[in-house]
Amino acid sequence: VSLGQGQGPTARALVEKACISGDWVCLQNCMLAKSFMPDLEALVFELSENREKNHADFRLFLTSSPASYFPVSILQNGVKMTNEAPKGIRANMTRAYANLVKAEDLESNAKPEAYQRLLSGLCFFHANILERRKFGPLGWNIRYAFDESDLETSMAILRRFLNEQDQ
C-alpha cells in the first residue's frame, strides 16, 4: 500500500489481516503519511506485544525517505536497509549496466549498434544525475531523483523508438 491521501485505515486493516494469515505487507512512502505515524507506531507496538499471536510467516516492510517525524521506536526495533548509489560516474555506469542491461536486449534490437551507443549515453546521463546529487540545489532549479525506474523506462522508450523507426 502506498501511503498518503487517507490510506492509513486501509494499511492498518491490511496489516491486521496479514498478521493472522501470514502474508507479507509493504507500506510504501511512510514519509508522506505524517498524520499516520502515531497510528503506525501504535500498530507496530501492538504487533510486538502480541508476537505469539502473529502468524510465523507474517512480515511487515516499511519504505521511507528520511523524515524527522518517523517514529524512533520503529527504527530502533526494526531491521534497517539502505540503498545508496555508488560513488563515482564509473561505478554508477557499471551498476546500471549490471542491473538493467540484458545481453539479449543489446542484440535483439532492430538497430543494435545505434541502440548500444544511445544506451551508453543514457547510462552516462543517469550516472551524472546520480553523482550530481551530492551538490544539492547548486545549479539546479528543482531536485529530481532520476532513479533506476526512470532509467529503465527511458531504455524501454529508446528500444521501442529504434524498433519502430524506419531505416
Side-chain angles (χ1 to χ4, degrees):
V1 174
S2 185
L3 293 178
Q5 296 184 349
Q7 291 296 316
T10 304
R12 183 176 190 80
L14 191 62
V15 169
E16 289 171 352
K17 180 182 167 197
C19 72
I20 295 168
S21 65
D23 292 328
W24 291 13
V25 176
C26 180
L27 302 181
Q28 297 176 322
N29 302 325
C30 291
M31 72 283 186
L32 299 178
K34 186 175 182 178
S35 62
F36 181 64
M37 289 300 105
D39 294 337
L40 179 62
E41 185 173 24
L43 178 63
V44 171
F45 181 75
E46 289 172 23
L47 291 172
S48 65
E49 288 292 307
N50 301 321
R51 191 172 303 152
E52 62 281 345
K53 294 179 185 176
N54 296 337
H55 194 283
D57 294 333
F58 168 69
R59 299 291 184 273
L60 175 63
F61 297 91
L62 307 172
T63 69
S64 178
S65 293
S68 60
Y69 48 84
F70 195 88
V72 175
S73 63
I74 295 175
L75 292 173
Q76 290 173 337
N77 294 317
V79 177
K80 293 158 285 301
M81 296 178 3
T82 61
N83 183 16
E84 295 184 20
K87 300 296 181 211
I89 291 177
R90 183 177 187 174
N92 279 312
M93 287 187 70
T94 303
R95 180 180 178 188
Y97 271 97
N99 291 347
L100 299 174
V101 178
K102 298 172 187 73
E104 60 268 11
D105 288 343
L106 293 176
E107 297 302 325
S108 66
N109 199 288
K111 299 176 182 170
E113 186 177 322
Y115 179 69
Q116 289 176 19
R117 288 180 182 203
L118 290 168
L119 181 63
S120 173
L122 193 59
C123 287
F124 183 71
F125 175 73
H126 177 254
N128 270 317
I129 297 297
L130 292 180
E131 189 64 20
R132 184 69 185 75
R133 286 187 202 174
K134 67 182 173 186
F135 298 109
L138 187 66
W140 295 77
N141 291 334
I142 299 171
R143 183 179 172 151
Y144 180 74
F146 187 74
D147 56 16
E148 281 193 4
S149 64
D150 293 313
L151 178 59
E152 199 169 7
T153 302
S154 299
M155 289 168 53
I157 291 169
L158 176 62
R159 192 178 314 111
R160 190 177 71 199
F161 174 75
L162 288 174
N163 285 335
E164 292 175 358
Q165 185 182 37
D166 293 332
Q167 301 293 19

